[in-house]
């Protein structure tokens, strides 16, 4: 039986963007459109729902940081009630409606939007979810297994990634229905999940992410903090072309 949840996380603007449009939810705690200079580690009891999510405001649209912050704060507020897959779907639909409502109240925020990806950790299951191209991975001794589903068209020939997405929370001028990707898996002590924005996964190939995380697999939450730093460092060394937000979740015994 899991006794606690440990989450190590950071959020950074990268080397190209002028400011950070990513936001982060870790339980009741949020970090909205701001920067952490080093990884932070938080511990939570495993007996109640714990939501960990990354929201990446859409670049090229006004108010990306407003949309991501709104979603992060709403998920933090709804977190204690996220007791199953249907509750998670309802929460994401609520976030979508809230983004559109906020945009409708301010012409300067027209078509603002955000992606979101995360996990809800419950005593009997882990629920992974996403809308857009932020990602969730299960980290195992054998490497990474992606449990989110990118809402993106196939990359152009010769390219590994694409900046295009096919759905988001908000992001257009009129309310658009979203179909969140939601799936549940059984939890186990020692399991780890990586939740991140595409500022990590676009510049750093999955093979490199897997190798960096393998070094800390048998460690503790202290090792996870170091791993988050190494992931951020890899994205920076690859040019840091976008905002980078990373959360590494460990189910502790």
């Amino acid at each position: 039986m899991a006794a606690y949840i440990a989450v190590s996380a950071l959020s950074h603007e990268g080397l190209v963007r002028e400011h950070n449009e990513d936001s982060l939810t870790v339980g009741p705690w949020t970090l909205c459109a701001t920067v952490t200079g080093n990884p932070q580690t938080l511990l939570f009891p495993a007996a109640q729902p714990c939501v960990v999510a990354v929201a990446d405001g859409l670049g090229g649209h006004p108010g990306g940081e407003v949309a991501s912050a709104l979603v992060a704060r709403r998920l933090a507020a709804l977190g204690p009630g996220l007791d199953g897959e249907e509750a998670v779907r309802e929460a994401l639909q609520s976030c979508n409606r809230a983004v559109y409502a906020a945009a409708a109240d301010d012409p300067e925020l027209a078509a603002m939007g955000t992606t979101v990806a995360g996990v809800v950790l419950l005593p009997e299951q882990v629920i992974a979810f996403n809308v857009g191209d932020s990602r969730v991975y299960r980290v195992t001794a054998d490497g990474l297994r992606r449990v989110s589903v990118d809402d993106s068209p196939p990359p152009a020939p010769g390219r590994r990634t694409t900046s295009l997405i096919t759905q988001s929370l908000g992001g257009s001028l009129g309310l658009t229905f979203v179909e969140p990707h939601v799936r549940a898996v059984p939890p186990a002590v020692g399991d780890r999940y990586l939740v991140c924005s595409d500022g990590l996964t676009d510049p750093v190939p999955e093979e490199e992410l897997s190798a960096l995380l393998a070094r800390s697999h048998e460690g503790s939450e202290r090792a996870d903090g170091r791993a988050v730093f190494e992931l951020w460092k890899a994205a920076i060394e690859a040019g840091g072309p976008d905002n980078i937000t990373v959360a590494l979740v460990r189910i502790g015994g």
Side-chain angles (χ1 to χ4, degrees):
M1 182 69 178
Y4 67 91
I5 306 298
V7 185
S8 298
L10 64 71
S11 189
H12 190 268
E13 75 271 30
L15 299 179
V16 174
R17 307 291 189 189
E18 291 185 0
H19 61 283
N20 192 6
E21 295 191 353
D22 288 358
S23 294
L24 174 68
T25 304
V26 181
W29 180 79
T30 59
L31 185 73
C32 296
T34 189
V35 170
T36 51
N38 54 283
Q40 307 294 311
T41 299
L42 301 173
L43 274 69
F44 302 91
Q48 57 195 39
C50 179
V51 58
V52 180
V54 169
D56 179 356
L58 299 186
H61 292 234
E65 71 280 6
V66 177
S68 71
L70 188 160
V71 168
R73 291 177 177 133
R74 182 166 285 250
L75 286 176
L78 295 173
L82 300 179
D83 56 2
E85 291 181 63
E86 192 55 37
V88 172
R89 288 190 180 92
E90 271 298 314
L92 295 171
Q93 297 292 357
S94 172
C95 288
N96 187 49
R97 292 191 296 269
V99 172
Y100 279 108
D105 288 340
D106 186 344
E108 293 187 2
L109 300 178
M112 74 173 179
T114 184
T115 70
V116 69
V119 290
V120 179
L121 299 118
L122 301 167
E124 303 302 326
Q125 58 184 346
V126 176
I127 302 172
F129 62 87
N130 78 286
V131 177
D133 59 358
S134 292
R135 289 182 179 173
V136 179
Y137 293 91
R138 183 166 178 249
V139 185
T140 72
D142 297 325
L144 293 181
R145 182 169 64 86
R146 196 187 308 178
V147 292
S148 58
V149 179
D150 282 357
D151 288 312
S152 300
R159 298 289 299 271
R160 188 176 59 81
T161 64
T162 176
S163 61
L164 302 176
I165 59 173
T166 54
Q167 68 169 351
S168 60
L169 302 179
S172 59
L173 292 176
L175 177 62
T176 300
F177 180 77
V178 294
E179 296 186 14
H181 304 281
V182 181
R183 62 181 299 188
V185 296
V189 171
D191 279 358
R192 293 194 299 168
Y193 289 86
L194 172 65
V195 183
C196 57
S197 62
D198 65 351
L200 175 66
T201 55
D202 277 359
V204 186
E206 286 184 359
E207 300 77 27
E208 186 174 347
L209 299 177
S210 181
L212 289 168
L213 288 164
R215 300 174 192 170
S216 61
H217 187 71
E218 299 298 331
S220 64
E221 49 272 13
R222 180 175 294 182
D224 289 344
R226 177 70 183 183
V228 166
F229 175 81
E230 293 294 341
L231 293 171
W232 166 81
K233 182 181 175 184
I236 291 295
E237 290 177 346
D242 201 353
N243 305 148
I244 307 157
T245 302
V246 183
L248 187 56
V249 182
R250 180 184 293 266
I251 300 176

